[in-house]
């Protein structure tokens, strides 16, 4: 089994460790058990895809891992740290320093230029706007932006371009963990592939882990491992899409 | 974060302008209305300021404000002169007489009768003529606004010729001659003011037995005015007010017994409500529009404290701009109206503070709603579309 794993993953350490993680929304009859005991490890250096039908708890799980949502039960550590043991302010600054976010709807601030949007995480972490924007420009060059595009506003850009900006924003402050929720769902197939190529090329480095939530099977090939989720639980973790039971069941 | 907050604010031009316009309107209305109110209130006691010199005003005990004239005995001023600590005490008449102008129209005027010997209490600023000419028989001095306005000779075409030195007028059927034109502060009644000697006033008002309205007193240097007032009251049975007390008495009377404070408060409240309604609403909508981005910032590590400061900064910036524009517009308006009309307009720094506080309250209450919303925002919402 081990010979099929890419080499860098083999040498990886554990970035995220989840055991029996649970989360319930609401109470009584209206209670929704979004996570019913999730066991999952994410290793550094890998891109893990989280797949499964809509409503199975993928977004809830990455929200818990990224520290934007508190879990109800179970254990969850990220780089050895447990949100349960941190204060609200501690979690917030932990996110600022260690986590990059990519959203389905891009969430770029409309009144900031491309470069200023990318500079935001640096500014949040206390950098002055001027050096932050200058560092953001370097990052934007890596995602293939020219001078004119850096000065443009999100509304002037295509969806694919906006998601490239979002990726630059998620990477600019060098976080150790990146979460992407359906990063290609708002894009056409071709553009989605390009965005994933970019994410794979720039995002996957040693010491960093990426979790990409998707139900777009065309991008499964960019994953180091794929975790399938169903009804609030991880049902299987495989190395490539062809091994997915869920997928083969679906295609039959 | 200030950088991001300001970019967000200026980026939404329509809302930004809406908020600023609302605040400008509110601060304009509040400043302008309170300045008019202050102007009118000053006019209620402008006579006191014009007379200037006396330290103490002695009046009938029933007098409630400066224009509430209750005549005193003719010799009251002599009694006051006898009180220890009084440097001088002079009689002053203030009343109302009908004046007939050259074209035959009657005009009610305020008449001030000055002590024949000293002419104490006369106008401080002469435009033409001289105060001492009042000692001539039948001589009067008319205030400039009256001379150019209500007492001017109207020509058929609508133009008018101001009353000038040497002109003759009729006061209560008696001939009088204008020997001077003076400047006085605008009064509340806004009728012409005519100065004459005390004895001329007696002559022009037949049938009025008691003419003495006030005894004006100058204290000897180093006197405690309050104990001097008490001594005067004990000696005469009259009421003695220091100038400031008389001013406050008059001011409070107008506050209590006229509808002006209500009008004024209504206008100010209106400005306040319009400010809240327009700016508060728009500001809150601006925050709601940006809620998704506040959530994104929160997820990316912006603390509640940072977001609070962003919103406060945004509120303070629109507040500052709106306040500046509003107060500026009110000042320009006041200067224009002051130059072209008789409008009462006074803008002391206290009023600037008042409208600044009002705008601040509007901004903070608008921001409070927004802040509440953003503080309660769960960062997890960023993943919901
Ligand atoms: N804030 C919430 N309040 C109530 N129910 C929620 C909330 N967030 C998610 N859910 C529910 O939890 C379940 C899992 O949601 P989610 O994690 O978004 O699934 P996925 O991302 O896999 O589509 C769904 O049934 C959803 O309706
Ligand atoms: Mg989802």
């Amino acid at each position: 089994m081990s010979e099929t794993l890419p080499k860098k993953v083999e040498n990886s350490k554990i970035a995220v460790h989840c055991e029996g993680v649970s989360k319930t929304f609401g109470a009584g009859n209206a209670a929704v058990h979004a996570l019913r005991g999730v066991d999952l490890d994410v290793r550094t250096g890998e891109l893990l895809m989280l797949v499964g039908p809509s409503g199975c708890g993928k977004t809830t799980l990455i929200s818990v891992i990224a520290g934007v949502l508190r879990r109800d039960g179970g254990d969850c550590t990220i780089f050895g740290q447990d949100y349960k043991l941190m204060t609200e302010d501690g979690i917030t600054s932990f996110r600022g320093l260690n986590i990059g976010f990519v959203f389905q709807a891009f969430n770029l601030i409309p009144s900031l230029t491309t470069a200023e949007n990318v500079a935001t995480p640096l500014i949040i972490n206390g950098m002055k706007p001027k050096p932050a924007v200058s560092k953001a420009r370097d990052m934007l060059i890596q995602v293939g932006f020219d001078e004119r595009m850096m000065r443009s506003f999100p509304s002037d850009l295509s969806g694919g371009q906006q998601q490239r900006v979002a990726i630059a924003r998620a990477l600019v402050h060098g976080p150790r963990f990146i979460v992407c929720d359906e990063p290609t769902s708002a894009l056409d197939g071709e553009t989605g592939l390009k965005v994933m190529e970019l994410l794979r090329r720039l995002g996957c480095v040693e010491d960093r882990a990426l979790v990409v939530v998707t139900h777009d099977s065309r991008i499964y090939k960019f994953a180091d491992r794929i975790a399938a989720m169903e009804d609030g639980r991880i049902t299987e973790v495989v190395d490539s899409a062809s091994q997915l039971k869920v997928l083969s069941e679906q295609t039959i | 974060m200030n950088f991001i907050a300001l970019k967000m604010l200026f980026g939404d031009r329509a809302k930004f302008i809406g908020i600023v316009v609302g605040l400008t309107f509110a601060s304009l209305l509040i400043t302008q209305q309170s300045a008019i109110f202050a102007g009118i209130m000053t006019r209620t006691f402008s006579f006191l300021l014009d007379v200037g010199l006396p330290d103490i005003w002695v009046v009938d005990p029933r007098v409630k404000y400066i224009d509430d004239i209750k005549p005193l005995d003719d010799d009251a001023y002599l009694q006051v002169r006898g009180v220890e600590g009084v440097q001088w005490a002079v009689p002053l008449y203030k009343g109302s007489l009908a004046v007939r102008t050259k074209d035959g129209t009657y005009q009610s005027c305020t008449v001030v009768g000055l002590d024949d010997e000293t002419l104490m209490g006369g106008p401080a600023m002469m435009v033409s003529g001289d105060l001492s000419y009042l000692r001539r028989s039948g001589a009067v001095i008319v205030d400039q606004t009256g001379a150019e306005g209500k007492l001017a000779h109207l020509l058929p075409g609508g133009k008018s010729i101001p009353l000038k030195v040497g002109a003759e007028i009729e006061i209560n059927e008696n001939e009088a001659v204008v020997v001077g034109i003076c400047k006085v502060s605008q009064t509340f009644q806004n009728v012409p003011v005519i100065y004459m000697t005390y004895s001329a006033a007696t002559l022009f008002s037949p049938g009025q037995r008691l003419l003495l309205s006030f005894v004006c007193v100058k204290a000897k240097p180093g006197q405690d005015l309050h104990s001097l007032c008490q001594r005067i009251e004990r000696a005469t049975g009259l009421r003695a007010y220091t100038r400031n007390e008389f001013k406050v008495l008059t001011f409070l009377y107008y506050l209590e017994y006229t509808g002006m404070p209500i009008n004024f408060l209504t206008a100010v409240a209106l400005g306040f409500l319009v400010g809240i309604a327009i700016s508060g609403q728009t500001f809150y909508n601006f925050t709601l529009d940006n809620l998704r981005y506040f959530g994104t910032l929160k997820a990316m590590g912006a603390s509640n404290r940072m977001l609070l400061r962003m919103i406060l900064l945004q509120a303070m910036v629109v507040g500052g701009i709106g306040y500046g524009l509003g107060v500026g517009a009110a000042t320009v308006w006041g200067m224009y109206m002051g130059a072209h009309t008789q409008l009462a307009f006074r803008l002391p720094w206290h009023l600037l503070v008042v409208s600044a506080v009002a705008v601040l309250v509007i901004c903070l209450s608008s921001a409070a709603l927004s802040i509440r919303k953003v503080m309660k925002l769960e960062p997890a919402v960023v993943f919901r579309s």
Side-chain angles (χ1 to χ4, degrees), chain A residues 75-86:
Chain A
D75 294 325
C76 180
T77 55
I78 175 160
F79 299 108
Q81 307 240 41
D82 187 345
Y83 295 122
K84 277 237 158 99
L85 306 177
M86 300 185 205

Side-chain angles (χ1 to χ4, degrees), chain A residues 23-26 30-35 50-63 69 181-182 213 215 229 232, chain B residues 378 380-381 383-384:
Chain A
K23 176 75 190 177
T24 305
F25 292 107
V32 177
H33 302 285
L35 301 179
L50 197 55
V51 305
S54 175
C56 70
K58 306 181 294 293
T59 299
T60 306
L61 179 57
I62 57 162
S63 299
L69 191 67
D181 197 14
E182 317 253 6
V213 168
H215 55 244
M229 223 181 146
Chain B
E378 285 283 344
V381 298
F383 287 126
R384 318 251 159 244

